[in-house]
Amino acid sequence: MDKAFEIQKNARDNVKSLQTYLTDLQNWESEMKRKEAALNGNFEQDLPPVRSKTRKERPIQVKKKQLNRISSSDYSSWEKFDVDKACEEVDMAAKGPMSLDSKQSEEEKQDKLREEAQYEKERGNTFVKQEKWDDAISCYNRAIELVKNDAIYYANRGLCYLKKESLHQAEKDCTAALKLDSTYVKALQRRATAREKLGSLRSASADLYEVLKLEPNNVAARKQLETIKARMGTKGSKSKSSPLSTPTLESKSIIPNDSKPKVVEISSVESTPQEKWRTGVGENITVIKTVKKPPHLRSKRALKHVTIQEIPLGCTVPKVEAKTIDNLAQGDTNNNSDETKDCALSAKGDNIEINSNEIKSMDKMVPPVNSVQFMNEWKCLKGSVEARSNYLNIIDPTNIPSIFANALESDVLSELLSALYEFKDKYTRGLSLYLQAFTRVKRFSALAMFLADNDKLLVNKMLVHCKTKEGLSDDVINELKNKYEL
């Protein structure tokens, strides 16, 4: 009887979840139809029924007139047909009325424009590699027409004009790019090259000084600046063609033979307490400063998660010998205090990654009640299969379906199977009970479809272990094989 009630309960739960899924699907379908109608010009407002006795005027809805189609054999009508006017009407109809979610539709249009501009830019880059400058310029023109606030498009078009010796146009495009992004180094270098070829050496050297401020190790800019200095006839000293009030990289002072150099003593100015606090003077801390980089020098890799540890103000990390640190890294079981362990781990740094939950004993572990508690502990035990196996050992297999409910993911199931297999002999309640408990989790059949070949191999080996060591019957093993889709 209990089994019949359990089957009936599972059937009801599955029907309920299916109904919610179908309801969400219908809502999504109606929303998509409404948005598509708004874009195509067939937008109709779904007004609520009138609830008061006062009559309200309904908004006038303009209905489209059905146009008489011209037959293919009516040549005289086709001669009178205005194609341009028909195209304009189609374009206006495609825009549609202003819908209630006009902001969202505007954002979608902007995203589409950016995608089209990016596509034109990639085509232009391909033409640049092939040295087809006119085709590349036409691509960048279309990209600028779509998105006018991107400095890269102007700078790339300026490069093409520079290759074609259209120097004034190249300088104009690089100036437009720098108005959008004043730290764009490539635009500065290209404008400096254009100005150098135009003969305005003072402006070119000013651009190169800005480049060296942003990138002090830029060898190409430094060589170009030295070439410009040689053309001006002075290596860093002021002249008619040298830039006014521009700092020189190498300051050389010429002292006449008659006069002696004057020695000027500069009194050291003490920094204020606020400046000392900002720079961390006199404190055993590392001050993290912001790094400002131009867009083309920024990393494209994903950001790394950094764990922040709170330390009370005034407390310092005690010095711990290297032997203590190594013992903690190897799982030393001496009677060291928690404070000593934390200090040792923080002093060791990135060379050792030990989680505080791995040092926990079996007595301090508590069985989870829901999936949130389980996932918090499971993530903390990442990197130690033995600790995860110990955590699974304290969980009653009969509680696994209620713990996970609908929250079991395929990657978590794969980690659970690997932890079960690595220490399959240490489970007090039996390995087969855990394998059977996983199959009772909701939507397990969908999870079994995404099991990798390696996971299925581990399940096969665990079933062989259950048959030889635990004496599991063939019927139960065949049933588990069907549920795991082996």
Side-chain angles (χ1 to χ4, degrees):
M1 290 297 291
D2 294 338
K3 190 172 183 181
F5 283 126
E6 185 178 357
I7 293 172
Q8 189 176 6
K9 182 177 179 299
N10 291 335
R12 287 179 180 176
D13 293 338
N14 292 335
V15 169
K16 189 175 180 180
S17 61
L18 182 61
Q19 287 178 351
T20 56
Y21 175 77
L22 291 175
T23 303
D24 294 340
L25 187 61
Q26 290 176 356
N27 293 335
W28 177 82
E29 184 179 3
S30 61
E31 183 69 16
M32 291 297 106
K33 286 182 179 179
R34 185 183 69 82
K35 290 185 177 181
E36 185 178 4
L39 292 175
N40 294 332
N42 301 326
F43 181 74
E44 295 182 1
Q45 291 184 346
D46 189 8
L47 297 174
V50 179
R51 297 181 180 273
S52 62
K53 294 181 180 180
T54 59
R55 292 186 65 182
K56 296 181 180 179
E57 295 181 358
R58 291 188 177 182
I60 300 173
Q61 296 180 358
V62 180
K63 295 184 178 179
K64 293 183 177 180
K65 296 181 180 180
Q66 294 183 356
L67 301 175
N68 295 327
R69 296 176 62 88
I70 303 173
S71 62
S72 59
S73 59
D74 192 359
Y75 299 107
S76 61
S77 299
W78 280 114
E79 288 178 357
K80 299 176 183 179
F81 184 71
D82 192 353
V83 180
D84 296 333
K85 184 178 179 181
C87 291
E88 290 180 1
E89 291 177 357
V90 171
D91 293 338
M92 292 299 294
K95 293 181 180 179
M98 292 296 290
S99 58
L100 297 176
D101 51 352
S102 59
K103 292 183 179 179
Q104 185 175 359
S105 61
E106 188 66 26
E107 290 177 358
E108 291 175 356
K109 289 180 182 178
Q110 292 296 330
D111 292 339
K112 289 181 179 178
L113 290 177
R114 291 192 193 95
E115 290 177 1
E116 292 177 7
Q118 188 68 18
Y119 171 73
E120 294 294 338
K121 178 203 156 193
E122 297 297 334
R123 286 188 61 202
N125 293 345
T126 306
F127 287 130
V128 167
K129 292 177 183 178
Q130 298 172 0
E131 297 184 357
K132 297 179 180 179
W133 310 118
D134 292 328
D135 295 334
I137 288 172
S138 61
C139 290
Y140 292 135
N141 287 338
R142 288 192 290 271
I144 291 171
E145 289 176 1
L146 295 170
V147 178
K148 297 183 180 180
N149 57 352
D150 198 320
I152 298 176
Y153 303 155
Y154 289 96
N156 290 359
R157 190 173 69 176
L159 174 64
C160 298
Y161 284 127
L162 192 62
K163 295 294 184 180
K164 289 185 64 180
E165 298 298 324
S166 300
L167 303 177
H168 291 284
Q169 198 68 27
E171 182 185 9
K172 183 180 177 181
D173 279 346
C174 292
T175 304
L178 290 170
K179 285 182 180 179
L180 297 172
D181 186 4
S182 59
T183 60
Y184 198 8
V185 174
K186 289 184 178 179
L188 284 169
Q189 286 184 282
R190 290 166 188 172
R191 189 171 71 171
T193 305
R195 287 178 172 178
E196 182 185 0
K197 291 182 179 180
L198 287 171
S200 116
L201 303 180
R202 179 182 300 176
S203 302
S205 59
D207 288 340
L208 293 173
Y209 279 121
E210 290 296 325
V211 171
L212 292 173
K213 280 183 183 179
L214 297 172
E215 293 181 8
N217 298 325
N218 196 323
V219 181
R222 193 177 295 273
K223 289 181 179 179
Q224 188 176 1
L225 182 60
E226 290 175 359
T227 305
I228 292 174
K229 287 179 181 179
R231 285 183 62 184
M232 289 190 298
T234 55
K235 297 222 172 184
S237 61
K238 294 183 180 179
S239 66
K240 293 182 180 179
S241 59
S242 62
L244 297 174
S245 66
T246 53
T248 56
L249 297 175
E250 297 178 359
S251 60
K252 296 182 179 180
S253 59
I254 303 173
I255 303 171
N257 297 328
D258 309 2
S259 61
K260 295 182 179 179
K262 294 181 180 181
V263 179
V264 180
E265 294 183 358
I266 301 174
S267 58
S268 59
V269 181
E270 294 185 359
S271 57
T272 61
Q274 187 177 5
E275 293 177 353
K276 290 183 179 179
W277 176 78
R278 286 179 178 175
T279 55
V281 176
E283 299 182 20
N284 189 16
I285 59 174
T286 302
V287 179
I288 300 175
K289 298 181 180 179
T290 57
V291 179
K292 294 182 180 180
K293 287 187 177 181
H296 67 284
L297 290 179
R298 295 172 189 168
S299 176
K300 300 295 188 293
R301 291 181 294 180
L303 298 177
K304 184 180 179 182
H305 180 73
V306 179
T307 306
I308 300 175
Q309 182 181 3
E310 295 185 1
I311 299 177
L313 186 63
C315 296
T316 56
V317 181
K319 295 181 180 180
V320 184
E321 294 181 359
K323 182 178 179 181
T324 308
I325 298 172
D326 294 334
N327 290 337
L328 284 174
Q330 297 173 3
D332 190 14
T333 57
N334 295 333
N335 295 326
N336 295 324
S337 62
D338 294 337
E339 183 180 0
T340 307
K341 292 177 181 179
D342 293 339
C343 296
L345 292 177
S346 62
K348 189 71 176 176
D350 294 332
N351 295 328
I352 299 174
E353 294 181 1
I354 298 178
N355 207 317
S356 58
N357 288 323
E358 291 183 22
I359 307 174
K360 286 184 179 180
S361 61
M362 286 286 294
D363 301 333
K364 294 183 180 180
M365 290 186 180
V366 180
V369 180
N370 50 36
S371 60
V372 177
Q373 294 179 1
F374 177 84
M375 290 308 299
N376 287 335
E377 291 290 338
W378 192 255
K379 289 179 180 178
C380 290
L381 298 175
K382 185 178 180 180
S384 176
V385 183
E386 185 177 2
R388 286 186 167 184
S389 178
N390 293 335
Y391 186 56
L392 281 176
N393 199 11
I394 66 173
I395 299 175
D396 190 1
T398 57
N399 296 332
I400 288 179
S402 61
I403 289 173
F404 286 105
N406 296 326
L408 184 60
E409 301 292 339
S410 57
D411 54 348
V412 178
L413 178 61
S414 177
E415 293 175 356
L416 289 169
L417 293 175
S418 61
L420 286 174
Y421 176 74
E422 291 295 333
F423 299 92
K424 51 183 177 293
D425 295 323
K426 65 184 294 185
Y427 296 99
T428 55
R429 298 179 180 86
L431 186 63
S432 59
L433 293 179
Y434 287 94
L435 295 176
Q436 293 174 2
F438 292 149
T439 59
R440 292 195 296 271
V441 177
K442 291 182 180 179
R443 290 185 279 188
F444 177 79
S445 58
L447 296 174
M449 294 171 60
F450 296 101
L451 281 177
D453 296 336
N454 188 23
D455 298 333
K456 292 182 179 181
L457 182 62
L458 295 180
V459 174
N460 273 323
K461 292 181 180 179
M462 286 189 283
L463 290 177
V464 173
H465 177 269
C466 293
K467 184 177 181 180
T468 56
K469 299 292 183 180
E470 300 178 8
L472 199 64
S473 62
D474 293 336
D475 296 336
V476 178
I477 288 176
N478 292 330
E479 183 181 358
L480 288 174
K481 284 185 177 181
N482 291 331
K483 289 183 177 180
Y484 282 94
E485 296 186 2
L486 301 179

